[in-house]
Amino acid sequence: MSDQWIPGHDGRPRPTPTAEEAMLLPPTQRDRVVTPDGVPLAAWWRRLVAYWIDGLLVAIAVQAVLLPLGLLGPVTWFGSMPADLVAEAWTRPGSGAWWYAVLMLALTLIASAAYTVLMLTRLGWTVGKRVLGIRVRHRDHERRPTLGEAATRWAVQLAPGALTAVPWLGGAAGLWVLIDGLRPLIWNDRRQAFHDSAAGTSVVMA
């Protein structure tokens, strides 16, 4: 895919301009291409693929902890489980599936928080973002997110994702993750998801 955002004179998208070219654009167009100090913003598809990679890594880490306990079960995304296992877990509290579901949720939250917050504060990127050549920084200043900013970013973006397997909460959590993820692509002039706006961060090219 091509990182195309700015419409040309004929209305068709043209390749994203360089940082120098972007600073000459009108403010409404410039904000969708670069940060206020001229650092190119990451394309939406890069963010999406990085999100998938990070989710897979967290799922693998959780399974690596559960395996020695003899509780290995299928995981595809931030703690999600097959529907039949979820139904048994929440309708039969005395079953082994109940403990599996609770342990899975707790480990997923802990693993995703530690992985995301520590890597963003120390490095400015996660493994997925590094692979895609992008990083997270403060929206207005060239610095990595602080602990508070990284924690806020995680809480708004990823914490709800771990609840998608919980009855009564799963649908709302999944919808929130979708809306949050689509915001930079569809209706935000600064290409910020809600978790970016809450933390005051932007995802830029590394």
Side-chain angles (χ1 to χ4, degrees):
M1 297 183 183
S2 176
D3 299 351
Q4 295 182 335
W5 283 91
I6 305 301
H9 67 278
D10 57 356
R12 296 181 179 180
R14 62 182 177 84
T16 300
T18 64
E20 292 77 10
E21 293 173 336
M23 296 305 288
L24 301 176
L25 294 171
T28 55
Q29 292 185 343
R30 181 172 64 240
D31 284 346
R32 293 191 65 83
V33 183
V34 296
T35 61
D37 55 348
V39 178
L41 296 173
W44 181 81
W45 72 269
R46 292 181 184 272
R47 299 180 59 162
L48 178 63
V49 176
Y51 182 76
W52 285 340
I53 293 174
D54 290 332
L56 178 61
L57 292 177
V58 169
I60 291 173
V62 171
Q63 290 299 288
V65 174
L66 293 177
L67 180 59
L69 302 177
L71 295 172
L72 181 63
V75 173
T76 57
W77 190 249
F78 283 133
S80 60
M81 297 176 288
D84 56 345
L85 180 59
V86 173
E88 181 183 1
W90 295 102
T91 58
R92 296 176 55 193
S95 69
W98 165 261
W99 295 106
Y100 176 83
V102 172
L103 185 59
M104 170 72 72
L105 180 59
L107 287 176
T108 299
L109 287 170
I110 293 171
S112 65
Y115 170 77
T116 303
V117 173
L118 290 177
M119 293 204 72
L120 290 186
T121 54
R122 292 179 177 273
L123 302 172
W125 44 261
T126 57
V127 174
K129 287 180 172 57
R130 184 68 169 179
V131 170
L132 272 295
I134 60 180
R135 60 188 174 90
V136 178
R137 52 156 270 174
H138 188 271
R139 168 69 188 177
D140 300 317
H141 310 289
E142 186 53 72
R143 64 166 174 79
R144 295 188 296 272
T146 64
L147 180 62
E149 290 167 350
T152 298
R153 200 173 189 277
W154 171 82
V156 175
Q157 178 191 25
L158 299 180
L163 303 176
T164 54
V166 181
W168 307 293
L169 294 178
L175 181 61
W176 169 254
V177 171
L178 177 63
I179 293 173
D180 180 54
L182 289 176
R183 188 182 186 228
L185 179 66
I186 301 176
W187 70 87
N188 182 259
D189 291 339
R190 295 183 174 184
R191 288 166 73 175
Q192 288 178 302
F194 285 108
H195 60 269
D196 289 314
S197 295
T201 58
S202 286
V203 182
V204 301
M205 299 301 297

